[in-house]
Amino acid sequence: RLLELEEYADILVGDEAAGEGLPKHARKRLTLGVELVANPSILFADEPTSGLASLSAALVVSSLKRAANSRGVTVVCTIHQPSREVFETFDNLLLLRKGGVCVYNGPIPKISNYMTSVSGNDAFALKDGTNPADHALDIFCGPGGESEDWGKLYKQSSMASQVRETVNNCSSESGGVEVKAESRSTFSELRSVLQRQVLGHWRTPTYMAVRFWWTLSASLLTSFIFMNIDDTGEGAFDLVGAVFNFVNLAQVPLLSASVPLITERAVYYREISSGTYRKYTYAMAVEIAELPFNFFMAIVSWLIFYWIVGLDRDADRVGYNLLMTLAVYWVLPLFGQLFSFISPNIGIASVIGGLLLVAFTLTMGFLISPDNIPPWWIWLYWINPLRYVLQGLAVNELGGGKEYFLELTGEMVSGDVLLDNIGGWSFDQRWWYCYVVVLLFGFAASAGLLFATRINWMNR
């Protein structure tokens, strides 16, 4: 209400470069509101009307005026080519000419009287219909008053004496300023930042909507392609391929998770420097805020894939499959957030994420068996979270005593034998696969917290 932004209360701020969201004058007033939240005693505004039309500039300056009157805030503002209406909104003017020489420091309504009194020349008086801002610049700093040394006249004036007296009276004898501040608890900070992050995700359709429609479309496409797989040995291999593609669907959140964090990085550094919250509180909040949305995407993808493809309906196997699906949609966005903390921009984060996805896909143990992976790359196989997810889902579906008819030989073959032939996968290790995924989640979360508190790209 103070900034007259009621009509924009439910509108997203949006990307100004893309022409989205708030108009420019509303963005200026919103920035003013962000600063007023801290209840400052002095507010510095550097050319707040730049790039605005006269009407929009008047709206911004009137907001500054109301803030000064209602909050008792001292507003120090630099202004560029103001209109008469905007200029007369301010109370006092400090005008410096080239070289930083002060030529006027006093009330705006008294400019005309000052010019004529200190110079003894009535020709310098403000004429009717003239913009006082333009007149002051022309006389003090331009050709209109070049016959006078306005810097010297100001030093000799009573106005300069009053300013010096005011400064001396306001000076502190001790020379120190005591600031009392009470930090909020970690839980209180986390709750506030988490609430803002969740609300921000909810209000950013370009982020969540793209992920949702990708998950829905890709899951439907994969599921219908692998629908009604034969219950044979050959069909079992096709089923492993279906699970492989299903796991790869979860890789998109890895890349998209880094975008919002890098986009809001400037806000993060500003709030950290002002002591709004701690670094690790922010890192924890952004990791937790993703969880409900990631779990929703996981449920959507799992429901489509599991029931259309027609996987085993045994309760134990259904529960395990759902648990691993939630895990993969939990772990991969954390890696994406980790890349955002260690990358200077979105481009670098995308490159790192893309290379890692290629490495993960190639070393899952499906496209190439572990025995054929070069020894200097085998470490990727062991740290690959998608490898454990794929193998866990595959052994959960094919192993555990199931048998399949192998059309090539006309014999029945155990699913456990097929899994062992693929890459030494074992049904007995399916819960071990799950534990490793949880450990990798803990690593990604801990690394994200560490890098968020240690890396500052604003200093680079």
Side-chain angles (χ1 to χ4, degrees), residues 413-430:
V413 62
S414 169
D416 295 300
V417 173
L418 294 176
L419 291 169
D420 186 64
N421 291 335
I422 292 175
W425 303 352
S426 172
F427 180 81
D428 296 333
Q429 295 181 338
R430 65 172 185 155

Side-chain angles (χ1 to χ4, degrees), residues 317-349:
R317 297 177 189 267
V318 171
Y320 181 90
N321 193 293
L322 175 60
L323 181 63
M324 290 293 277
T325 302
L326 293 174
V328 71
Y329 276 84
W330 190 358
V331 173
L332 290 182
L334 285 174
F335 277 97
Q337 293 171 349
L338 172 60
F339 298 151
S340 72
F341 291 131
I342 65 176
S343 303
N345 52 58
I346 294 177
I348 298 298

Side-chain angles (χ1 to χ4, degrees), residues 1 66 129 192 195 202 258 274 355 380 430 438:
R1 188 176 296 109
R66 283 193 300 274
S192 299
Q195 181 180 6
W202 181 256
S258 62
S274 64
L355 289 174
L380 280 172
R430 65 172 185 155
V438 173

Side-chain angles (χ1 to χ4, degrees), residues 352-410:
I352 295 175
L355 289 174
L356 189 67
L357 293 185
V358 172
F360 279 175
T361 302
L362 294 175
T363 58
M364 288 170 65
F366 177 74
L367 297 177
I368 180 173
S369 66
D371 295 335
N372 294 325
I373 296 177
W376 53 87
W377 289 117
I378 194 63
W379 60 273
L380 280 172
Y381 173 78
W382 292 107
I383 68 169
N384 187 348
L386 298 185
R387 166 240 168 162
Y388 297 100
V389 175
L390 169 63
Q391 295 179 16
L393 294 177
V395 302
N396 180 68
E397 184 61 29
L398 302 179
K402 288 187 176 183
E403 292 190 346
Y404 297 90
F405 178 73
L406 195 59
E407 296 179 349
L408 185 63
T409 62

